[in-house]
Amino acid sequence: MRTKADLIVGIQWGDEGKGKMVDLLAQNYDYVVRYQGGHNAGHTIVVNGKKYALHLIPSGILYSQCKNIIGNGVVISPSALLEEMQQFQNLEGRLFISNKAHLILSYHEFLDKLNEKKAKKAIGTTGKGIGPAYTDKVARKGFRIGELRDTQTLCEKVLELMEEKDIINLGGEIPNKEFLKAKLDSYAEALLPFVVDTTSLLWSAMDRGEKILCEGAQGSMLDIDHGTYPFVTSSTTTASGACSGSGISPRELGNVIGITKAYCTRVGNGPFVTEEKGEIGELLRQKGGEFGVTTGRARRCGWLDAVAVKYACRLNGVSELAMMKLDVLDGFDEVKVCTQYQDKNGTILETFPFDFEGIKPIYKSFKGWDKTAGIREFDKLPQAAQEYILELEKLIGVKFSMISTSPDRNDTIFR
């Protein structure tokens, strides 16, 4: 019987803890698929006290029975991927890379940093070349990883495009042909054994009744269409991106699991209605270890924004939610949740606005609690923590079926 693909998607601005949930659930799946983004994203997974930071390889890599797919919607830095692959052994037969995935090359990183430097309002990108790589893709000038099968032709096309982009006059460098050819040859030798038609691979797996889990990067509030534009990423981070980025049809998507923290964080610039810039924000940052996996940048922190979470749940068709880092709120006398917005004219908003200028949060306060860390049963949570979760379910309209109380994969409540 043909199976449907389940999906894990971030509900906030990324960094929600998707990696732990994918890692926890991957043992029940045959394939884990990464379908968009690049190495600007990072999952941190802790297994038996050992920490793994994954940027491109799907989180199922930590289970020997899992096959892991980097889909066509991902943009791949060959050097970053090869460095990540060195953490693991015996990847052949367990890691598959779409021949349609686009390459990030050195000039993409150069242009990314240049654009950010010149911008009057910086987006706050990671400078990893993701935006320029997607720009080339949409402009139909990009290079796909399958083109590594003919490095001579690929080399000539890359040099031609770098000339067209006037890289030298912008302050960059164009490598000589021999150097670039040698670099592409080294990528081809290392990566081509893993490059296949991953869409056909997934279709065949689903026809055989095998179970597929799609893994999103970043979060819904960074979606190119539905996020806080222009302070967004360059790909579709919502559930629909799982289809275009893998070749799985919308009718073949199954359960959609949304991931949100018990509070809220954001990296980079852009609107953040519930941001706490004082002592509370700093306390959340330190207790939650809120520093970027990819960049090390300190994350902006604040209370949970239920308006944004409800909006993202509807965008994604979320069937259940997972709450991460409940334990970070341990010890607060008061915990707040934004339930509505107020615009600059004093009008109350319960929907996600087009323009965030002058938007202020309207909070509902909850009594704090002592300790949830390490608890694995809902009934054993402090009463105040239970009430916090149950009230959020009423506000958002989706059940929290999983609640994480520490970074360890086993410290998770299932409801």
Side-chain angles (χ1 to χ4, degrees):
M1 184 181 74
R2 182 181 294 178
T3 51
K4 291 193 173 186
D6 293 333
L7 168 62
I8 284 182
V9 63
I11 292 301
Q12 297 165 306
W13 281 278
D15 309 310
E16 298 95 348
K18 295 181 293 297
K20 173 181 171 175
M21 278 297 125
V22 176
D23 173 55
L24 185 64
L25 298 174
Q27 59 191 310
N28 303 316
Y29 291 84
D30 301 297
Y31 287 81
V32 179
V33 185
R34 170 78 183 275
Y35 56 82
Q36 49 75 224
H39 63 306
N40 55 337
H43 287 325
T44 303
I45 299 169
V46 180
V47 182
N48 298 325
K50 185 173 181 181
K51 187 179 286 189
Y52 297 87
L54 302 175
H55 302 275
L56 285 163
I57 296 176
S59 304
I61 201 68
L62 298 171
Y63 287 99
S64 59
Q65 90 285 358
C66 261
K67 293 180 174 66
N68 297 269
I69 288 179
I70 301 175
N72 58 275
V74 179
V75 285
I76 297 173
S77 162
S79 57
L81 178 56
L82 289 169
E83 183 179 347
E84 195 170 322
M85 288 167 66
Q86 289 175 6
Q87 297 179 86
F88 306 100
Q89 296 177 334
N90 305 319
L91 287 176
E92 286 201 39
R94 295 185 58 227
L95 177 66
F96 302 90
I97 304 166
S98 172
N99 53 10
K100 297 177 185 175
H102 278 243
L103 290 166
I104 298 174
L105 300 173
S106 59
Y107 76 87
H108 290 121
E109 294 189 28
F110 165 74
L111 290 173
D112 203 4
K113 291 169 184 173
L114 181 67
N115 292 340
E116 191 76 354
K117 186 177 179 181
K118 290 168 64 178
K120 290 183 179 179
K121 275 192 173 182
I123 302 296
T125 74
T126 57
K128 303 286 186 180
I130 278 74
Y134 275 118
T135 298
D136 279 355
K137 178 179 179 177
V138 174
R140 296 161 293 179
K141 294 182 177 181
F143 306 109
R144 300 190 290 180
I145 204 162
E147 294 179 66
L148 286 173
R149 299 192 191 284
D150 180 358
T151 55
Q152 181 67 39
T153 302
L154 178 58
C155 180
E156 291 169 0
K157 289 167 67 177
V158 170
L159 291 173
E160 185 179 321
L161 185 61
M162 291 178 79
E163 291 278 2
E164 181 185 318
K165 289 180 178 288
D166 206 16
I167 295 293
I168 289 179
N169 285 334
L170 291 173
E173 296 180 359
I174 294 180
N176 66 52
K177 188 173 183 178
E178 291 73 20
F179 176 86
L180 179 58
K181 175 71 162 54
K183 179 70 74 175
L184 294 174
D185 284 340
S186 69
Y187 293 157
E189 183 181 2
L191 294 177
L192 282 178
F194 302 93
V195 175
V196 298
D197 177 354
T198 54
T199 299
S200 293
L201 188 68
L202 283 169
W203 288 353
S204 296
M206 295 171 83
D207 288 346
R208 291 192 301 268
E210 295 184 88
K211 296 183 71 179
I212 315 291
L213 181 65
C214 297
E215 171 186 17
Q218 290 112 2
S220 300
M221 295 296 98
L222 292 173
D223 185 82
I224 187 69
D225 287 294
H226 300 290
T228 50
Y229 191 89
F231 300 97
V232 293
T233 193
S234 303
S235 59
T236 299
T237 60
T238 49
S240 58
C243 298
S244 59
S246 70
I248 295 171
S249 75
R251 295 174 72 178
E252 291 176 314
L253 285 183
N255 202 25
V256 179
I257 304 164
I259 314 293
T260 175
K261 283 176 181 162
Y263 51 101
C264 197
T265 65
R266 176 164 197 170
V267 172
N269 300 326
F272 184 177
V273 176
T274 61
E275 182 175 12
E276 289 285 335
K277 296 182 178 180
E279 184 180 340
I280 288 173
E282 184 57 33
L283 190 57
L284 287 169
R285 186 177 302 113
Q286 295 301 327
K287 288 185 69 177
E290 297 297 352
F291 300 90
V293 177
T294 300
T295 63
R297 286 187 295 182
R299 296 175 184 143
R300 300 156 63 191
C301 298
W303 299 116
L304 187 71
D305 184 343
V307 179
V309 171
K310 185 175 182 179
Y311 167 74
C313 284
R314 184 64 186 268
L315 277 177
N316 289 286
V318 167
S319 44
E320 58 186 290
L321 281 165
M323 177 183 286
M324 311 304 294
K325 293 193 170 184
L326 178 64
D327 54 300
V328 173
L329 297 181
D330 290 358
F332 281 91
D333 293 331
E334 178 187 40
V335 175
K336 293 182 179 180
V337 174
C338 173
T339 59
Q340 296 172 310
Y341 296 154
Q342 185 177 47
D343 69 13
K344 57 189 175 184
N345 300 315
T347 304
I348 303 300
L349 307 175
E350 294 186 6
T351 56
F352 209 65
F354 174 81
D355 182 4
F356 278 85
E357 185 179 352
I359 296 289
K360 295 179 180 179
I362 297 175
Y363 285 116
K364 179 171 184 175
S365 291
F366 294 82
K367 182 183 176 183
W369 54 83
D370 178 28
K371 185 176 183 293
T372 65
I375 292 176
R376 299 180 182 180
E377 295 177 37
F378 186 77
D379 292 343
K380 291 184 179 179
L381 289 173
Q383 190 62 35
Q386 292 186 38
E387 290 173 2
Y388 177 69
I389 293 163
L390 293 172
E391 187 60 29
L392 282 175
E393 289 180 339
K394 292 178 187 175
L395 288 167
I396 297 163
V398 181
K399 181 179 178 177
F400 284 98
S401 63
M402 291 169 279
I403 300 156
S404 173
T405 57
S406 97
D408 191 280
R409 65 156 67 129
N410 296 313
D411 290 337
T412 307
I413 296 166
F414 290 90
R415 297 172 66 216

